Amino acid sequence: RVSPRATMLFLLIVVFCIQADNTKANECSSPFNPIGNQCLYFGNLILENHENAQAVCQSLGGHLARITEPQQLKDIVDYIVENGYGDVHYWVDGTDIVQEAQWKFSNGEAVPMGTPFWDVDNYDGTWRVQPDNKHGYQNCLQLYKPYHYYFDDFYCNVSRAILCEEKVEIEMNMRTNLEDISCPALFVPVSGMCLAFLTFADQTWDEARQTCASLGGQLAKITQPQHIRDIYLYINQQGLNDDSFWIGGSDKENEGVWKFNDGSTIPSGTPFWGMGILPAQEPDGDILENCLTLFAPGQYYFRDANCDNIFNPLCSINPI
């Protein structure tokens, strides 16, 4: 049941939407906007608990937003940043109320776990993987502002802004079989790339770069949110999750300007770079940490590290 306050706010929003000069794509109904492959509404002024937030979204003809793909998270966070919406937290669909640690959307499907959806809380210098139910009874899913809008478990009775999704996707996500490629020896197909996880080589960043070159390749260049997801899943499936990997990026030439080894710009923010010592987001090492790594305790998000650290090379090469 929607609270009287939410009903009043909803009526005000409807009036505003009718009056506004607002052109939307045909796929989305007012007040939803096309963002990526979803129709979304950011209810920044509607502060409700999780249950009431779901009811408000349903009254608009939708439900709390379901984030199932890494690119959706990126599109949402980019929209929040570009439109100046970054002053509130948002409820999204997902709870583990029925069974602790079994996170489900309201349609019964599983909430994706791990990278790049849930980050690692390093607030006190430890690496605490989310969700952690830190204080107990944290059973509802939010996009948490201090966590740079990564997923976070929180108390369901707390008031948050709402992020609603209309029940129709603009475009279905149809991934082709990215693993249907042929790779040279030592390299395996992951996310449409040929990658070599050289866990036998403990090296500095410069040494790792030379090792990849000796194989005819280069330190891996990771440009898409799905790359992060697929690499994380492969590492865990293969039992490599104690190994950290160098990849092909640094800000050696110009402090704070992160480039891949081919000179192209490294993506910034969520869902590529993990959280640092809060409230900072990586990269946060200044002149002491100039090379790019997928760090095991940091759940394989981008992290800046001292280039003389000893990690394993993650090399890439063109398919055969």
Side-chain angles (χ1 to χ4, degrees), residues 15-60:
V15 171
F16 173 79
C17 289
I18 291 173
Q19 293 176 342
D21 179 12
N22 195 6
T23 303
K24 293 181 173 64
N26 292 332
E27 296 88 345
C28 299
S29 307
S30 177
F32 296 92
N33 285 306
I35 300 170
N37 69 345
Q38 297 173 289
C39 292
L40 301 177
Y41 169 67
F42 289 80
N44 293 18
L45 301 179
I46 304 175
L47 302 179
E48 293 289 348
N49 63 38
H50 195 267
E51 181 180 4
N52 283 348
Q54 185 70 276
V56 172
C57 291
Q58 290 169 350
S59 74
L60 293 171

Side-chain angles (χ1 to χ4, degrees), residues 18 35 44 58 66 79 103 116 118 120-121 151 159 164 166 192 205 236 249 257 261 282 287 289 293 312 320:
I18 291 173
I35 300 170
N44 293 18
Q58 290 169 350
R66 294 176 191 138
Y79 189 87
W103 284 85
W118 304 81
V120 183
D121 184 345
F151 287 6
S159 293
C164 301
E166 196 173 13
W205 187 84
N236 281 273
V257 180
N261 289 339
E282 304 268 8
I287 62 174
E289 298 180 348
T293 181
N312 303 129
I320 297 174

Side-chain angles (χ1 to χ4, degrees), residues 254-276:
N254 189 357
E255 174 60 34
V257 180
W258 283 84
K259 301 284 187 180
F260 289 115
N261 289 339
D262 63 4
S264 58
T265 299
I266 293 173
S268 59
T270 305
F272 292 96
W273 294 85
M275 297 184 291

Side-chain angles (χ1 to χ4, degrees), residues 11-214:
L11 292 174
L12 289 173
I13 291 162
V14 170
V15 171
F16 173 79
C17 289
I18 291 173
Q19 293 176 342
D21 179 12
N22 195 6
T23 303
K24 293 181 173 64
N26 292 332
E27 296 88 345
C28 299
S29 307
S30 177
F32 296 92
N33 285 306
I35 300 170
N37 69 345
Q38 297 173 289
C39 292
L40 301 177
Y41 169 67
F42 289 80
N44 293 18
L45 301 179
I46 304 175
L47 302 179
E48 293 289 348
N49 63 38
H50 195 267
E51 181 180 4
N52 283 348
Q54 185 70 276
V56 172
C57 291
Q58 290 169 350
S59 74
L60 293 171
H63 48 74
L64 282 172
R66 294 176 191 138
I67 302 172
T68 61
E69 304 168 11
Q71 186 63 47
Q72 289 175 337
L73 180 59
K74 182 181 189 305
D75 291 338
I76 288 168
V77 175
D78 286 350
Y79 189 87
I80 288 172
V81 172
E82 291 166 4
N83 289 275
Y85 289 173
D87 57 348
V88 295
H89 324 286
Y90 293 93
W91 284 131
V92 292
D93 198 10
T95 73
D96 69 341
I97 291 175
V98 174
Q99 184 177 354
E100 178 61 34
Q102 299 299 311
W103 284 85
K104 302 287 185 180
F105 294 120
S106 56
N107 65 355
E109 296 177 3
V111 173
M113 306 305 291
T115 305
F117 300 98
W118 304 81
D119 200 354
V120 183
D121 184 345
N122 196 26
Y123 180 78
D124 55 3
T126 61
W127 299 93
R128 189 169 57 250
V129 179
Q130 298 296 322
D132 63 355
N133 198 29
K134 182 178 180 181
H135 300 294
Y137 304 104
Q138 296 183 185
N139 300 120
C140 288
L141 186 57
Q142 66 172 344
L143 299 182
Y144 190 41
K145 172 186 169 184
Y147 283 7
H148 307 280
Y149 293 104
Y150 284 110
F151 287 6
D152 178 54
D153 55 332
F154 207 64
Y155 306 108
C156 301
N157 61 348
V158 172
S159 293
R160 292 285 187 251
I162 63 174
L163 178 53
C164 301
E165 178 183 1
E166 196 173 13
K167 292 181 179 180
V168 178
E169 283 192 341
I170 296 175
E171 179 182 346
M172 293 299 292
N173 178 51
M174 299 296 291
R175 293 192 71 201
T176 57
N177 186 0
L178 297 178
E179 316 314 337
D180 190 19
I181 57 176
S182 297
C183 299
L186 290 181
F187 291 83
V188 294
V190 179
S191 204
M193 301 178 287
C194 289
L195 300 179
F197 298 78
L198 303 184
T199 56
F200 55 83
D202 299 322
Q203 299 179 327
T204 67
W205 187 84
D206 285 316
E207 291 170 343
R209 188 176 182 181
Q210 293 169 10
T211 295
C212 292
S214 73

